[in-house]
């Protein structure tokens, strides 16, 4: 078939569940000139799909992963082969044998309610009814999710192959990819041991071979394959006479890193309790060679008995019936992990037309395929994928050693109870600001984000806590990675002056003759202002969704400094920049101190020859000047709702800047303050955090940032879509918890009139307000004063819809 603009030539590498699902989704959208290349035999080519046990638990702390799993269940339930459904909806059951796990199951039940998955906490007796073989005396409760179940991955692959083939796609097995052809930065074809296949788009859906294909294309794939133990018992008397493949829910015993599923009269058991077993994707044997070495398939490694023994003891403790059972067969199956446990999806900017659909488990396979197909055909997926975007990793997070270490740790922690703020322990520290040594001297409590060490509070400020009076007691979960020192730092910022390390925030430099026209077209606000102006603006996609929010400082006619969010922002701008515009990331070579509080001007004015008065240096203005001996770019911005400046300089002068400010501020009582206080203060002001409060699933008006959109100016990306939008049906809504002692942390479901109606995005205790502040996506039109409930660890916490901003609504503290 010849290629046309409507039917581009597509080559999909890999005919596992992801490749088959993607081909089905693409052909359903009219792209039918698709060739799927598979190195093994079809329909079971020997990758992870061929051995996957098929467990689908939809509920996840990630809204995105839950949505991908929900679609997978929906689609596979609709498919069958010879009358056999591709999804067996037996439900899911997660057990708690410790109080900590039971609390975690309550949180997971909250995620289910937030993301629209049916689920309920059930008693030990109900767990016993659902799984009669368990020892009920060990169980404190369970989470039952009736719509979960078993994906029959090979059957689903066959069903989708048949549908896609009927629409014109072709599936070729025994074709080993040996190279990726390219020209002028675009992919042009795929070379195999049996010929070359021209292509306008190439999708790597090669599973744990993804890094191999990526290397051929010159595209980094941060993926680490690891082997995972799976064993099957012999026939069990308790299951004798069974005829169905499974009748009981798929079972998780996460306190011992185990899961269980029935195989008619046998039980299959998977374990994450063993040591990480990394696999070199470049050393995986071809299918025939693996078979010649008595391996079932390339993805199936020999069972390691020494790793299995502790797990087998745990199995027999949970299920006494297994004490007389034997393991009939076992293997170590290979599958993919990434440094953050998320898939790697999207098109490479370095090689246009080369797409990744990697590190995808069966659980999310059809959902990923739909999203990537939408991305390819329509230009954007219908759900937010920023957590999965291939651009999300920093350069420092892409080294092979980092990918191996973090990937292995993801395996270790796959069933662990992980606090939302909990960082991995290694490799740390990786990225530090120039102020790191001073922060250590002040007793900084560091957490990590984007590889950066970020102070959350400073123990040097502990004496300030005594002046606060009693603070509400916190439960054990919300007290993790928190300190009352944060309250003292917030108070000091509101009443005096504090230094905040803002270095990890991304900074881009945009220069060149076309820079103003370019940024004006790419962003939503009016940037056509004189040098010295700073503008809050948005990066929108063509549908009007919020890709990111930015602060754009015009420092010279053709030079801008852009405060951005993720590496995806740099990638997006580079994809669209014309030849006369240069965009570069200057974050690592620069640093930033936020100087905020009512005494901020008293601190900085004596250090500079320039006039920092409100009249001479207004809000949202920038000035290049000196503080002491240090050249700085000062921007009159505040994300804590107080007077102050962001002060930028080069990394080599950062320590001198910090020391200059610290010494000058001693007589004013200056303190260093951390991210915990910062988050509290920004929520009191209603400042949004992109990626948490709003994403490209949301438009500016429903997200409450419509003030950053100038619909009365020339065309910009997303304008036409916004012009065609009707009245919003949802709003990002501020809530104040009624009980001064109550706290929530984020992602909890919100109930209106007793029914789940939305979910919390950001939350933090507002120390100035004496209440916890929560922002939530809720139905539009809820009037101020409306009572709602937020479910926190199984308890319904009352809250009230509030007006925003909650603090200093007239902005008098910032503009003075």
């Amino acid at each position: 078939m010849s290629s046309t603009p409507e039917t581009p030539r597509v080559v999909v590498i890999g005919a596992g569940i992801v490749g088959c699902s993607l081909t089905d989704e693409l052909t359903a959208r009219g792209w039918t000139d698709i060739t799927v290349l598979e190195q093994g035999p079809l329909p079971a080519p020997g990758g992870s799909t061929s051995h996957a046990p098929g467990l689908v638990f939809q509920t996840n702390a990630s809204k995105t992963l839950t949505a991908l799993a929900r679609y997978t269940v929906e689609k596979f339930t609709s498919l069958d082969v010879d009358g056999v459904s591709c999804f067996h909806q037996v439900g899911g059951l997660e057990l708690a044998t410790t109080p900590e796990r039971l609390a975690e199951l309550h949180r997971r039940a909250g995620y289910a309610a937030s993301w629209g998955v049916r689920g309920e906490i059930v008693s030990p007796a109900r767990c016993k009814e659902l799984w009669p073989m368990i020892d009920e005396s060990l169980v404190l409760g369970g989470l039952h999710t009736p719509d979960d179940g078993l994906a029959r991955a090979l059957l689903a692959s066959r069903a989708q192959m048949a549908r896609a083939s009927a629409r014109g796609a072709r599936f070729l097995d025994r074709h080993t990819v040996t190279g990726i052809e390219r020209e002028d930065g675009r992919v042009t074809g795929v070379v195999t041991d049996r010929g070359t296949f021209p292509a306008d788009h190439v999708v790597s859906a090669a599973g744990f071979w993804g890094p191999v294909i990526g290397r051929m294309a010159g595209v980094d794939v941060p993926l680490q394959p690891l082997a995972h133990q799976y064993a099957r018992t012999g026939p069990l008397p308790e299951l004798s006479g069974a005829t169905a493949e499974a009748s009981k829910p798929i079972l998780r015993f996460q306190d011992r890193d185990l899961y269980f599923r029935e195989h008619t009269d046998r039980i299959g058991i998977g374990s994450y309790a063993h040591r990480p077993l990394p696999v070199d994707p470049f050393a995986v044997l071809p299918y025939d060679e693996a078979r010649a070495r008595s391996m079932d398939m390339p993805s199936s490694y020999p069972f390691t008995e020494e790793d299995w023994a502790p797990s087998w003891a745990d199995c027999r403790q949970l299920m006494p019936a297994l004490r007389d059972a034997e393991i009939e067969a076992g293997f170590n199956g290979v599958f993919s992990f990434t440094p953050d446990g998320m898939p790697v999806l999207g098109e490479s900017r370095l090689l246009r037309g080369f797409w990744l659909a990697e590190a995808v488990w069966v659980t999310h396979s059809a959902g990923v395929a739909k999203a990537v197909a939408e991305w390819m055909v329509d230009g954007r997926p219908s759900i937010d994928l920023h957590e999965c975007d291939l651009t999300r990793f920093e350069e420092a997070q892409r080294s092979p050693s980092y990918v191996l270490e973090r990937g292995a740790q993801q395996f270790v922690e796959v069933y662990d109870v992980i606090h939302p703020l909990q960082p991995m322990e290694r490799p740390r520290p990786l990225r530090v600001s120039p102020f790191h040594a001073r922060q250590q001297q002040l007793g900084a409590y560091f957490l990590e984000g984007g590889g950066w060490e970020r102070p959350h509070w400073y123990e040097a400020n502990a004496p300030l806590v005594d002046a606060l009076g009693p603070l509400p007691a916190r439960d054990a979960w919300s007290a993790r990675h928190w300190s009352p020192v944060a309250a003292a730092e917030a108070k000091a910022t509101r009443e005096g002056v504090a230094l905040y390390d803002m270095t990890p925030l991304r900074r881009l430099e945009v220069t060149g003759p076309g820079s103003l026209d370019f940024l004006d077209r790419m962003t939503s606000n009016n940037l056509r202002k004189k040098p010295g102006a700073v503008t809050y603006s948005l990066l929108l996609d063509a549908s009007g969704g919020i890709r990111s929010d930015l602060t754009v400082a015009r420092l010279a006619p053709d030079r801008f400094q852009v405060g951005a969010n993720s590496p995806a922002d740099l990638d997006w701008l580079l994809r669209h920049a014309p030849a006369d515009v240069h965009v570069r990331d200057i974050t690592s070579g620069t640093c930033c101190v936020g100087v905020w509080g009512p005494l901020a001007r008293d601190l900085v004015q004596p250090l500079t020859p320039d006039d920092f008065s409100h009249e001479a240096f207004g809000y949202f203005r920038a000035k290049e000047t000196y503080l002491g001996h240090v050249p700085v770019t000062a921007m009159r911005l505040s994300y804590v709702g107080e007077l102050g400046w962001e002060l930028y300089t080069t990394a080599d002068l950062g320590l001198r800047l910090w020391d200059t400010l610290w010494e000058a501020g001693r007589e004013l009582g200056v303190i260093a303050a951390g991210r915990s206080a910062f988050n509290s203060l920004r929520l009191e002001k209603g400042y949004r955090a992109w990626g948490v409060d709003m994403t490209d699933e949301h438009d500016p008006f429903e997200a409450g940032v419509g003030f950053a959109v100038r619909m009365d100016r020339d065309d910009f990306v997303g304008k036409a879509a916004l012009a065609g939008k009707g009245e919003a049906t949802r709003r990002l809504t501020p809530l104040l918890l009624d009980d001064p002692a109550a706290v929530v942390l984020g992602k909890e479901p919100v109930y209106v009139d007793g029914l789940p109606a939305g979910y919390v995005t950001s939350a933090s205790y507002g120390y100035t307000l004496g209440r916890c502040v929560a922002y939530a996506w809720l139905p539009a039109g809820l009037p101020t004063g409306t009572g709602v409930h937020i479910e926190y660890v199984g308890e319904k916490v009352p809250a009230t819809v509030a007006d925003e901003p909650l603090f200093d609504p007239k902005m008098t503290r910032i503009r003075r």
Side-chain angles (χ1 to χ4, degrees):
M1 182 184 297
S2 61
S3 172
T4 71
E6 291 75 28
T7 58
R9 298 167 298 181
V10 180
V11 173
V12 177
I13 301 173
I17 189 62
V18 178
C20 291
S21 297
L22 177 60
T23 306
D24 181 52
E25 295 286 341
L26 286 172
T27 56
R29 287 165 174 77
W31 283 22
T32 55
D33 188 358
I34 301 177
T35 302
V36 184
L37 301 174
E38 174 53 60
Q39 63 180 346
L42 291 174
S48 299
T49 300
S50 301
H51 70 246
L55 281 69
V56 176
F57 285 90
Q58 298 171 84
T59 305
N60 194 283
S62 165
K63 178 176 179 287
T64 296
L65 287 187
T66 302
L68 297 174
R70 285 182 64 191
Y71 181 78
T72 300
V73 169
E74 176 187 326
K75 183 174 186 181
F76 288 178
T77 301
S78 71
L79 298 175
D80 70 87
V81 175
D82 298 330
V84 179
S85 174
C86 294
F87 191 78
H88 190 21
Q89 204 156 45
V90 291
L93 178 64
E94 303 177 45
L95 300 178
T97 59
T98 66
E100 294 77 14
R101 180 66 63 180
L102 184 59
E104 173 71 357
L105 294 188
H106 276 289
R107 286 187 288 271
R108 288 181 58 76
Y111 300 147
S114 290
W115 316 144
V117 175
R118 288 200 303 157
E120 63 172 338
I121 298 296
V122 295
S123 67
R126 178 60 175 152
C127 293
K128 179 74 171 179
E129 289 177 15
L130 293 166
W131 255 92
M133 293 173 63
I134 66 172
D135 182 349
E136 180 186 356
S137 69
L138 299 177
V139 178
L140 301 181
L143 172 60
H144 181 220
T145 46
D147 298 328
D148 291 339
L150 294 166
R152 297 180 171 116
L154 286 177
L155 276 187
S157 296
R158 286 176 56 193
Q160 293 176 104
M161 284 173 60
R163 298 201 321 182
S165 297
R167 300 183 189 119
R170 57 177 177 166
F171 291 78
L172 304 178
D173 63 2
R174 299 293 188 172
H175 281 67
T176 300
V177 174
T178 59
I180 305 294
E181 292 188 332
R182 65 196 98 169
E183 185 177 337
D184 296 328
R186 282 204 64 89
V187 70
T188 59
V190 178
V191 183
T192 76
D193 58 350
R194 298 175 66 179
T196 299
F197 297 83
D200 303 301
H201 295 274
V202 172
V203 185
S204 177
F208 57 78
W209 284 285
V212 179
I213 302 301
R215 181 176 293 183
M216 295 178 193
V219 175
D220 181 38
V221 182
L223 177 161
Q224 177 59 53
L226 287 110
H228 159 60
Q229 288 203 308
Y230 192 78
R232 190 180 297 196
T233 69
L236 299 173
E238 292 77 7
L239 300 178
S240 62
T243 56
E245 177 188 3
S247 59
K248 301 176 186 61
I250 49 177
L251 181 70
R252 276 173 164 171
F253 181 24
Q254 289 125 308
D255 288 323
R256 290 296 183 270
D257 296 313
L258 292 165
Y259 63 81
F260 304 82
R261 58 152 294 181
E262 295 168 283
H263 293 279
T264 312
D265 62 348
R266 295 162 168 81
I267 292 179
I269 308 165
S271 171
Y272 293 98
H274 56 84
R275 61 195 166 95
L277 300 168
V279 172
D280 180 357
F282 295 89
V284 175
L285 298 175
Y287 185 92
D288 292 327
E289 189 173 342
R291 297 283 288 177
R293 297 192 185 187
S294 300
M295 295 166 59
D296 288 340
M297 60 190 80
S299 61
S300 176
Y301 278 53
F303 194 63
T304 47
E305 293 283 355
E306 65 277 13
D307 292 311
W308 175 251
S311 290
W312 187 225
D314 291 331
C315 294
R316 289 171 158 177
Q317 182 182 21
L318 179 68
M319 297 186 188
L322 296 181
R323 291 169 187 170
D324 295 325
E326 298 294 335
I327 295 300
E328 184 177 75
F331 66 96
N332 290 355
V334 182
F335 62 139
S336 304
F337 286 82
T338 58
D340 60 3
M342 301 294 285
V344 181
L345 312 176
E347 182 192 22
S348 169
R349 176 177 52 82
L350 300 177
L351 183 58
R352 298 295 182 88
F354 183 80
W355 295 76
L356 296 180
E358 296 292 8
V360 182
W361 294 5
V362 171
T363 300
H364 312 109
S365 55
V368 163
K370 176 176 181 281
V372 173
E374 291 170 337
W375 208 343
M376 295 176 70
V377 176
D378 304 327
R380 71 181 299 273
S382 59
I383 67 169
D384 166 47
L385 290 180
H386 83 272
E387 293 177 312
C388 309
D389 195 303
L390 61 86
T391 65
R392 70 188 182 272
F393 294 110
E394 303 283 349
E395 192 65 29
Q397 297 173 306
R398 290 180 170 273
S399 71
S401 58
Y402 184 95
V403 174
L404 170 59
E405 192 162 4
R406 286 286 170 101
Q409 191 62 24
Q410 288 291 339
F411 178 93
V412 170
E413 295 180 354
V414 71
Y415 279 171
D416 287 1
V417 177
I418 303 294
H419 191 277
L421 292 176
Q422 180 177 327
M424 288 193 174
E425 295 179 0
R426 298 181 306 275
R428 291 180 63 198
L430 185 62
R431 307 175 78 186
V432 298
S433 80
F435 324 130
H436 186 68
R438 298 293 185 264
Q439 293 165 344
Q440 288 179 308
Q441 292 166 7
L442 293 170
Y445 183 87
F446 291 102
L447 298 176
E448 184 222 30
W452 288 100
E453 295 296 315
R454 303 183 182 212
H456 275 241
W457 67 84
Y458 295 85
E459 286 300 326
N461 296 323
L464 301 177
V465 174
D466 294 338
L468 295 176
L471 291 171
R474 288 209 171 201
D475 66 280
W477 185 250
S478 66
R480 289 193 192 182
H481 306 295
W482 174 85
S483 168
V485 172
E489 293 176 359
K491 184 173 187 289
T493 306
R494 290 277 187 242
E495 298 179 356
V497 61
L499 306 184
Y500 287 81
D501 181 4
M502 306 303 289
T503 301
L505 299 185
R506 184 166 307 280
R507 291 171 291 286
L508 308 178
E509 183 182 71
V510 181
T511 58
S515 54
L516 175 59
D517 289 341
F518 169 63
L519 287 174
D520 202 47
R521 176 171 55 83
M522 295 300 296
T523 66
S524 64
N525 213 334
N526 176 29
L527 303 185
R528 295 189 179 279
K529 304 171 184 176
K530 294 178 181 179
V534 183
T535 305
Y536 178 78
S537 194
L538 306 172
L539 282 181
L540 305 178
D541 61 23
S543 70
I546 306 170
R547 286 190 56 92
S548 188
D549 63 342
L550 312 173
T551 52
V552 183
R554 191 178 190 187
L555 302 180
D558 295 336
R559 179 165 61 92
F560 295 80
Q561 181 172 308
V562 178
N565 285 294
S566 75
D569 296 344
L570 173 64
D571 185 84
W572 179 253
L573 292 175
L574 286 172
R575 284 175 186 269
H576 294 88
D580 63 347
V581 174
H582 305 285
V583 183
R584 69 185 185 103
D585 191 326
I586 61 171
T587 309
S588 297
T590 56
C591 59
C592 178
V593 181
V595 182
W596 291 314
L599 300 180
R601 184 175 287 115
D602 299 76
L603 173 54
V604 298
Q605 182 63 84
L607 298 172
T608 178
D610 285 285
D611 186 352
F612 271 45
S613 68
H614 181 64
E615 294 73 21
F617 196 159
Y619 193 53
F620 268 86
R621 299 292 298 172
K623 186 175 293 189
E624 293 180 298
T625 183
Y626 288 86
L627 288 184
H629 299 289
V630 181
V632 300
T633 299
M635 296 187 195
R636 180 89 183 273
L637 305 174
S638 174
Y639 285 94
V640 299
E642 296 293 338
L643 171 69
W645 288 264
E646 293 180 356
L647 303 173
Y648 299 89
T649 191
T650 53
D652 59 322
L653 290 167
L655 192 58
R656 184 59 178 262
L657 174 62
W658 181 279
D659 289 345
T660 298
L661 294 166
W662 190 259
E663 289 302 318
R666 281 185 184 276
E667 63 183 30
L668 300 173
V670 70
I671 68 161
R675 297 288 298 183
S676 187
F678 175 89
N679 201 44
S680 170
L681 297 170
R682 71 102 181 162
L683 278 172
E684 290 184 331
K685 283 298 293 179
Y687 294 143
R688 278 59 167 154
W690 184 85
V692 180
D693 299 314
M694 56 189 185
T695 69
D696 61 8
E697 289 186 0
H698 310 109
D699 73 53
F701 304 108
E702 62 189 7
V705 289
F707 63 87
V709 179
R710 288 290 299 272
M711 296 295 290
D712 59 347
R713 68 179 185 82
D714 291 340
D715 194 27
F716 57 87
V717 175
K719 179 181 178 181
L722 292 181
K725 284 188 179 290
E727 193 69 24
T729 59
R730 59 184 177 179
R731 297 282 184 190
L732 186 60
T733 305
L735 304 173
L736 278 175
L737 273 62
D738 295 351
D739 182 353
V743 295
V744 297
L745 300 180
K747 301 187 178 181
E748 297 90 354
V750 181
Y751 290 78
V752 178
D753 296 330
L755 297 175
Y759 60 92
V760 174
T761 57
S762 294
S764 180
Y765 200 85
Y767 301 109
T768 317
L769 303 173
R771 293 285 194 280
C772 183
V773 181
Y775 271 77
W777 281 103
L778 291 173
L782 292 179
T784 299
T786 299
V788 301
H789 287 86
I790 303 172
E791 184 177 334
Y792 179 73
V793 197
E795 299 292 329
K796 297 292 199 311
V797 180
T800 302
V801 173
D803 280 327
E804 61 174 342
L806 302 167
F807 175 79
D808 188 27
K810 295 184 178 179
M811 305 286 280
T812 57
R813 298 176 69 91
I814 293 176
R815 294 188 171 100
R816 59 181 175 181

